Amino acid sequence: MVKAHVPDLASMGRPVRLSSLIISIRDRILVTLGPKCPYRVGDAVVGDDPYNGRHEGIVMTRRGSSVELGTAAGVFFYDHRHLRRLD
């Protein structure tokens, strides 16, 4: 089988600019120093928020300080500071 598109091999060894390298390092440092979510995927928690209301569910995903909570009524997104563990 013949490929219709062949990647340009000259672009594979493209030099990296110093400014883009410094920016990527800075972004990695800011992510590691950012807020950490204490809950793991699969933890049973209660989310209480004036906008979303109170829902019991299981943590489905985490991104930064945002947590996706799977409940019987659907999927809700909470900030991890509005969550607490089930008693």
Side-chain angles (χ1 to χ4, degrees):
M1 180 160 70
V2 178
K3 294 183 181 180
H5 175 70
V6 178
D8 184 17
L9 298 178
S11 66
M12 293 176 69
R14 188 177 307 166
V16 178
R17 291 191 324 217
L18 182 61
S19 61
S20 64
L21 182 66
I22 291 172
I23 289 172
S24 67
I25 291 171
R26 180 199 59 162
D27 291 342
R28 288 182 189 174
I29 290 172
L30 290 177
V31 167
T32 58
L33 296 177
K36 307 273 187 303
C37 179
Y39 305 107
R40 295 181 184 164
V41 174
D43 286 349
V45 296
V46 174
D48 191 15
D49 186 30
Y51 300 108
N52 291 331
R54 181 178 294 215
H55 297 284
E56 295 180 2
I58 296 175
V59 175
M60 295 174 65
T61 60
R62 312 180 308 172
R63 276 200 191 141
S65 64
S66 180
V67 173
E68 181 180 359
L69 186 65
T71 66
V75 176
F76 297 93
F77 292 91
Y78 285 96
D79 189 88
H80 76 274
R81 295 170 288 193
H82 296 278
L83 298 176
R84 60 184 167 86
R85 295 193 191 277
L86 285 175
D87 293 334

